[in-house]
Amino acid sequence: MPRYTPEQLEKRNASVWTDIQLILAPIQFFVFLIGVILTFLYAQNDQIFSFYWVSIAILFKTLLFGLLLVTGAYFEKEIFDTWIYGKEFLWEDVGSTVAAFFHLLYFVMAYMGYSENVLIWEAFLAYFTYVVNALQYLVRIILEKLNERRLKAGGMV
């Protein structure tokens, strides 16, 4: 499973893009939680607040998602010398593309005049694709940290 060579691991640990990803990812998760809560509350009782806030929440989530996608591409270019869809991050990039598609689809559907009820379900679908993609990244991080410990124990890093 290891995807980083010792040299790439050193690059990763020294990269500004790693730090940026480590800052943006928790912010995106916090915005995700707010969005899911707002969407759920609106779905339960549309008298609590305006549907506008559901759209604003997914807008901010989509913007952060896009920012993470772009900074992730710079990260991949610096570490693996490929912008996106390199073999080291293929499945994570595919997952990000699917999640980005469903986040953007919300706005396409809103523009096309779909009902609030349909848009609520589309927002939940976008959030679900984010969760699946985020879990994929978490598994990768755990496995890579184990690999990093193994390399350090073997004196390779």
PDB file of all heavy atoms in Angstrom, residues 120-139:
ATOM      1  N   ILE A 120     -33.086  19.617  -1.850  1.00  0.00           N
ATOM      2  CA  ILE A 120     -32.687  19.109  -0.523  1.00  0.00           C
ATOM      3  C   ILE A 120     -32.044  17.741  -0.677  1.00  0.00           C
ATOM      4  O   ILE A 120     -30.979  17.474  -0.113  1.00  0.00           O
ATOM      5  CB  ILE A 120     -33.922  19.012   0.417  1.00  0.00           C
ATOM      6  CG1 ILE A 120     -34.406  20.400   0.807  1.00  0.00           C
ATOM      7  CG2 ILE A 120     -33.622  18.162   1.638  1.00  0.00           C
ATOM      8  CD1 ILE A 120     -33.540  21.134   1.776  1.00  0.00           C
ATOM      9  N   TRP A 121     -32.678  16.862  -1.450  1.00  0.00           N
ATOM     10  CA  TRP A 121     -32.117  15.515  -1.636  1.00  0.00           C
ATOM     11  C   TRP A 121     -30.810  15.553  -2.410  1.00  0.00           C
ATOM     12  O   TRP A 121     -29.886  14.775  -2.142  1.00  0.00           O
ATOM     13  CB  TRP A 121     -33.143  14.588  -2.293  1.00  0.00           C
ATOM     14  CG  TRP A 121     -34.186  14.206  -1.301  1.00  0.00           C
ATOM     15  CD1 TRP A 121     -35.464  14.660  -1.231  1.00  0.00           C
ATOM     16  CD2 TRP A 121     -34.006  13.328  -0.181  1.00  0.00           C
ATOM     17  NE1 TRP A 121     -36.103  14.121  -0.146  1.00  0.00           N
ATOM     18  CE2 TRP A 121     -35.233  13.296   0.520  1.00  0.00           C
ATOM     19  CE3 TRP A 121     -32.940  12.574   0.306  1.00  0.00           C
ATOM     20  CZ2 TRP A 121     -35.415  12.535   1.674  1.00  0.00           C
ATOM     21  CZ3 TRP A 121     -33.117  11.815   1.453  1.00  0.00           C
ATOM     22  CH2 TRP A 121     -34.341  11.812   2.120  1.00  0.00           C
ATOM     23  N   GLU A 122     -30.707  16.457  -3.361  1.00  0.00           N
ATOM     24  CA  GLU A 122     -29.450  16.604  -4.104  1.00  0.00           C
ATOM     25  C   GLU A 122     -28.353  17.119  -3.171  1.00  0.00           C
ATOM     26  O   GLU A 122     -27.202  16.681  -3.258  1.00  0.00           O
ATOM     27  CB  GLU A 122     -29.653  17.533  -5.297  1.00  0.00           C
ATOM     28  CG  GLU A 122     -28.417  18.089  -5.951  1.00  0.00           C
ATOM     29  CD  GLU A 122     -27.260  17.132  -6.197  1.00  0.00           C
ATOM     30  OE1 GLU A 122     -27.447  15.914  -6.342  1.00  0.00           O
ATOM     31  OE2 GLU A 122     -26.124  17.631  -6.224  1.00  0.00           O
ATOM     32  N   ALA A 123     -28.685  18.026  -2.265  1.00  0.00           N
ATOM     33  CA  ALA A 123     -27.691  18.507  -1.288  1.00  0.00           C
ATOM     34  C   ALA A 123     -27.226  17.352  -0.404  1.00  0.00           C
ATOM     35  O   ALA A 123     -26.021  17.201  -0.165  1.00  0.00           O
ATOM     36  CB  ALA A 123     -28.293  19.625  -0.436  1.00  0.00           C
ATOM     37  N   PHE A 124     -28.165  16.549   0.066  1.00  0.00           N
ATOM     38  CA  PHE A 124     -27.776  15.378   0.873  1.00  0.00           C
ATOM     39  C   PHE A 124     -26.890  14.433   0.072  1.00  0.00           C
ATOM     40  O   PHE A 124     -25.918  13.877   0.607  1.00  0.00           O
ATOM     41  CB  PHE A 124     -29.006  14.628   1.395  1.00  0.00           C
ATOM     42  CG  PHE A 124     -29.656  15.265   2.588  1.00  0.00           C
ATOM     43  CD1 PHE A 124     -31.029  15.446   2.626  1.00  0.00           C
ATOM     44  CD2 PHE A 124     -28.919  15.676   3.686  1.00  0.00           C
ATOM     45  CE1 PHE A 124     -31.647  16.017   3.731  1.00  0.00           C
ATOM     46  CE2 PHE A 124     -29.512  16.258   4.793  1.00  0.00           C
ATOM     47  CZ  PHE A 124     -30.883  16.432   4.806  1.00  0.00           C
ATOM     48  N   LEU A 125     -27.175  14.247  -1.209  1.00  0.00           N
ATOM     49  CA  LEU A 125     -26.344  13.394  -2.052  1.00  0.00           C
ATOM     50  C   LEU A 125     -24.939  13.985  -2.193  1.00  0.00           C
ATOM     51  O   LEU A 125     -23.936  13.253  -2.099  1.00  0.00           O
ATOM     52  CB  LEU A 125     -27.000  13.214  -3.422  1.00  0.00           C
ATOM     53  CG  LEU A 125     -26.257  12.323  -4.412  1.00  0.00           C
ATOM     54  CD1 LEU A 125     -26.063  10.918  -3.852  1.00  0.00           C
ATOM     55  CD2 LEU A 125     -27.023  12.266  -5.726  1.00  0.00           C
ATOM     56  N   ALA A 126     -24.843  15.281  -2.389  1.00  0.00           N
ATOM     57  CA  ALA A 126     -23.530  15.933  -2.478  1.00  0.00           C
ATOM     58  C   ALA A 126     -22.757  15.749  -1.178  1.00  0.00           C
ATOM     59  O   ALA A 126     -21.567  15.408  -1.194  1.00  0.00           O
ATOM     60  CB  ALA A 126     -23.701  17.421  -2.793  1.00  0.00           C
ATOM     61  N   TYR A 127     -23.430  15.946  -0.049  1.00  0.00           N
ATOM     62  CA  TYR A 127     -22.766  15.768   1.241  1.00  0.00           C
ATOM     63  C   TYR A 127     -22.337  14.310   1.442  1.00  0.00           C
ATOM     64  O   TYR A 127     -21.263  14.034   1.974  1.00  0.00           O
ATOM     65  CB  TYR A 127     -23.684  16.206   2.386  1.00  0.00           C
ATOM     66  CG  TYR A 127     -23.899  17.706   2.442  1.00  0.00           C
ATOM     67  CD1 TYR A 127     -25.164  18.241   2.653  1.00  0.00           C
ATOM     68  CD2 TYR A 127     -22.844  18.602   2.302  1.00  0.00           C
ATOM     69  CE1 TYR A 127     -25.373  19.611   2.725  1.00  0.00           C
ATOM     70  CE2 TYR A 127     -23.041  19.974   2.368  1.00  0.00           C
ATOM     71  CZ  TYR A 127     -24.303  20.469   2.588  1.00  0.00           C
ATOM     72  OH  TYR A 127     -24.501  21.830   2.659  1.00  0.00           O
ATOM     73  N   PHE A 128     -23.168  13.376   0.995  1.00  0.00           N
ATOM     74  CA  PHE A 128     -22.825  11.960   1.113  1.00  0.00           C
ATOM     75  C   PHE A 128     -21.566  11.633   0.298  1.00  0.00           C
ATOM     76  O   PHE A 128     -20.680  10.919   0.782  1.00  0.00           O
ATOM     77  CB  PHE A 128     -23.997  11.085   0.655  1.00  0.00           C
ATOM     78  CG  PHE A 128     -23.666   9.617   0.622  1.00  0.00           C
ATOM     79  CD1 PHE A 128     -23.566   8.894   1.794  1.00  0.00           C
ATOM     80  CD2 PHE A 128     -23.442   8.975  -0.588  1.00  0.00           C
ATOM     81  CE1 PHE A 128     -23.243   7.539   1.775  1.00  0.00           C
ATOM     82  CE2 PHE A 128     -23.118   7.632  -0.630  1.00  0.00           C
ATOM     83  CZ  PHE A 128     -23.023   6.905   0.559  1.00  0.00           C
ATOM     84  N   THR A 129     -21.481  12.150  -0.920  1.00  0.00           N
ATOM     85  CA  THR A 129     -20.289  11.875  -1.739  1.00  0.00           C
ATOM     86  C   THR A 129     -19.042  12.470  -1.084  1.00  0.00           C
ATOM     87  O   THR A 129     -17.961  11.888  -1.168  1.00  0.00           O
ATOM     88  CB  THR A 129     -20.440  12.402  -3.178  1.00  0.00           C
ATOM     89  OG1 THR A 129     -20.646  13.820  -3.163  1.00  0.00           O
ATOM     90  CG2 THR A 129     -21.573  11.699  -3.910  1.00  0.00           C
ATOM     91  N   TYR A 130     -19.196  13.597  -0.402  1.00  0.00           N
ATOM     92  CA  TYR A 130     -18.076  14.181   0.338  1.00  0.00           C
ATOM     93  C   TYR A 130     -17.646  13.249   1.462  1.00  0.00           C
ATOM     94  O   TYR A 130     -16.444  13.035   1.673  1.00  0.00           O
ATOM     95  CB  TYR A 130     -18.457  15.559   0.893  1.00  0.00           C
ATOM     96  CG  TYR A 130     -17.556  15.994   2.022  1.00  0.00           C
ATOM     97  CD1 TYR A 130     -16.252  16.422   1.772  1.00  0.00           C
ATOM     98  CD2 TYR A 130     -17.994  15.956   3.335  1.00  0.00           C
ATOM     99  CE1 TYR A 130     -15.415  16.799   2.806  1.00  0.00           C
ATOM    100  CE2 TYR A 130     -17.169  16.329   4.374  1.00  0.00           C
ATOM    101  CZ  TYR A 130     -15.877  16.754   4.113  1.00  0.00           C
ATOM    102  OH  TYR A 130     -15.058  17.107   5.145  1.00  0.00           O
ATOM    103  N   VAL A 131     -18.598  12.700   2.186  1.00  0.00           N
ATOM    104  CA  VAL A 131     -18.270  11.806   3.308  1.00  0.00           C
ATOM    105  C   VAL A 131     -17.511  10.577   2.807  1.00  0.00           C
ATOM    106  O   VAL A 131     -16.492  10.190   3.382  1.00  0.00           O
ATOM    107  CB  VAL A 131     -19.543  11.386   4.083  1.00  0.00           C
ATOM    108  CG1 VAL A 131     -19.255  10.248   5.038  1.00  0.00           C
ATOM    109  CG2 VAL A 131     -20.128  12.575   4.822  1.00  0.00           C
ATOM    110  N   VAL A 132     -17.995   9.974   1.738  1.00  0.00           N
ATOM    111  CA  VAL A 132     -17.320   8.798   1.180  1.00  0.00           C
ATOM    112  C   VAL A 132     -15.902   9.166   0.768  1.00  0.00           C
ATOM    113  O   VAL A 132     -14.944   8.443   1.068  1.00  0.00           O
ATOM    114  CB  VAL A 132     -18.119   8.213  -0.013  1.00  0.00           C
ATOM    115  CG1 VAL A 132     -17.315   7.148  -0.733  1.00  0.00           C
ATOM    116  CG2 VAL A 132     -19.456   7.663   0.465  1.00  0.00           C
ATOM    117  N   ASN A 133     -15.748  10.292   0.098  1.00  0.00           N
ATOM    118  CA  ASN A 133     -14.426  10.733  -0.332  1.00  0.00           C
ATOM    119  C   ASN A 133     -13.530  11.051   0.860  1.00  0.00           C
ATOM    120  O   ASN A 133     -12.351  10.684   0.875  1.00  0.00           O
ATOM    121  CB  ASN A 133     -14.556  11.946  -1.253  1.00  0.00           C
ATOM    122  CG  ASN A 133     -13.287  12.245  -1.991  1.00  0.00           C
ATOM    123  OD1 ASN A 133     -12.624  11.359  -2.513  1.00  0.00           O
ATOM    124  ND2 ASN A 133     -12.936  13.515  -2.049  1.00  0.00           N
ATOM    125  N   ALA A 134     -14.064  11.703   1.867  1.00  0.00           N
ATOM    126  CA  ALA A 134     -13.274  12.036   3.057  1.00  0.00           C
ATOM    127  C   ALA A 134     -12.827  10.766   3.781  1.00  0.00           C
ATOM    128  O   ALA A 134     -11.682  10.690   4.251  1.00  0.00           O
ATOM    129  CB  ALA A 134     -14.081  12.930   3.993  1.00  0.00           C
ATOM    130  N   LEU A 135     -13.704   9.779   3.872  1.00  0.00           N
ATOM    131  CA  LEU A 135     -13.327   8.517   4.511  1.00  0.00           C
ATOM    132  C   LEU A 135     -12.194   7.836   3.748  1.00  0.00           C
ATOM    133  O   LEU A 135     -11.280   7.260   4.345  1.00  0.00           O
ATOM    134  CB  LEU A 135     -14.533   7.587   4.626  1.00  0.00           C
ATOM    135  CG  LEU A 135     -15.580   7.998   5.651  1.00  0.00           C
ATOM    136  CD1 LEU A 135     -16.798   7.089   5.559  1.00  0.00           C
ATOM    137  CD2 LEU A 135     -14.998   7.984   7.057  1.00  0.00           C
ATOM    138  N   GLN A 136     -12.252   7.919   2.438  1.00  0.00           N
ATOM    139  CA  GLN A 136     -11.190   7.363   1.597  1.00  0.00           C
ATOM    140  C   GLN A 136      -9.850   8.018   1.939  1.00  0.00           C
ATOM    141  O   GLN A 136      -8.823   7.350   2.069  1.00  0.00           O
ATOM    142  CB  GLN A 136     -11.580   7.593   0.138  1.00  0.00           C
ATOM    143  CG  GLN A 136     -10.660   7.041  -0.856  1.00  0.00           C
ATOM    144  CD  GLN A 136     -11.169   7.265  -2.281  1.00  0.00           C
ATOM    145  OE1 GLN A 136     -11.078   6.360  -3.061  1.00  0.00           O
ATOM    146  NE2 GLN A 136     -11.691   8.423  -2.619  1.00  0.00           N
ATOM    147  N   TYR A 137      -9.853   9.348   2.094  1.00  0.00           N
ATOM    148  CA  TYR A 137      -8.631  10.064   2.459  1.00  0.00           C
ATOM    149  C   TYR A 137      -8.169   9.691   3.867  1.00  0.00           C
ATOM    150  O   TYR A 137      -6.972   9.554   4.105  1.00  0.00           O
ATOM    151  CB  TYR A 137      -8.833  11.575   2.357  1.00  0.00           C
ATOM    152  CG  TYR A 137      -8.599  12.115   0.982  1.00  0.00           C
ATOM    153  CD1 TYR A 137      -9.660  12.334   0.107  1.00  0.00           C
ATOM    154  CD2 TYR A 137      -7.319  12.404   0.527  1.00  0.00           C
ATOM    155  CE1 TYR A 137      -9.449  12.826  -1.170  1.00  0.00           C
ATOM    156  CE2 TYR A 137      -7.100  12.905  -0.753  1.00  0.00           C
ATOM    157  CZ  TYR A 137      -8.175  13.111  -1.587  1.00  0.00           C
ATOM    158  OH  TYR A 137      -7.951  13.582  -2.845  1.00  0.00           O
ATOM    159  N   LEU A 138      -9.097   9.539   4.796  1.00  0.00           N
ATOM    160  CA  LEU A 138      -8.714   9.173   6.165  1.00  0.00           C
ATOM    161  C   LEU A 138      -8.050   7.800   6.213  1.00  0.00           C
ATOM    162  O   LEU A 138      -7.048   7.622   6.915  1.00  0.00           O
ATOM    163  CB  LEU A 138      -9.926   9.211   7.089  1.00  0.00           C
ATOM    164  CG  LEU A 138     -10.433  10.602   7.452  1.00  0.00           C
ATOM    165  CD1 LEU A 138     -11.718  10.507   8.262  1.00  0.00           C
ATOM    166  CD2 LEU A 138      -9.371  11.380   8.216  1.00  0.00           C
ATOM    167  N   VAL A 139      -8.588   6.850   5.473  1.00  0.00           N
ATOM    168  CA  VAL A 139      -7.974   5.526   5.415  1.00  0.00           C
ATOM    169  C   VAL A 139      -6.563   5.650   4.855  1.00  0.00           C
ATOM    170  O   VAL A 139      -5.613   5.058   5.387  1.00  0.00           O
ATOM    171  CB  VAL A 139      -8.830   4.546   4.576  1.00  0.00           C
ATOM    172  CG1 VAL A 139      -8.056   3.282   4.241  1.00  0.00           C
ATOM    173  CG2 VAL A 139     -10.119   4.216   5.312  1.00  0.00           C
TER     174      VAL A 139
END
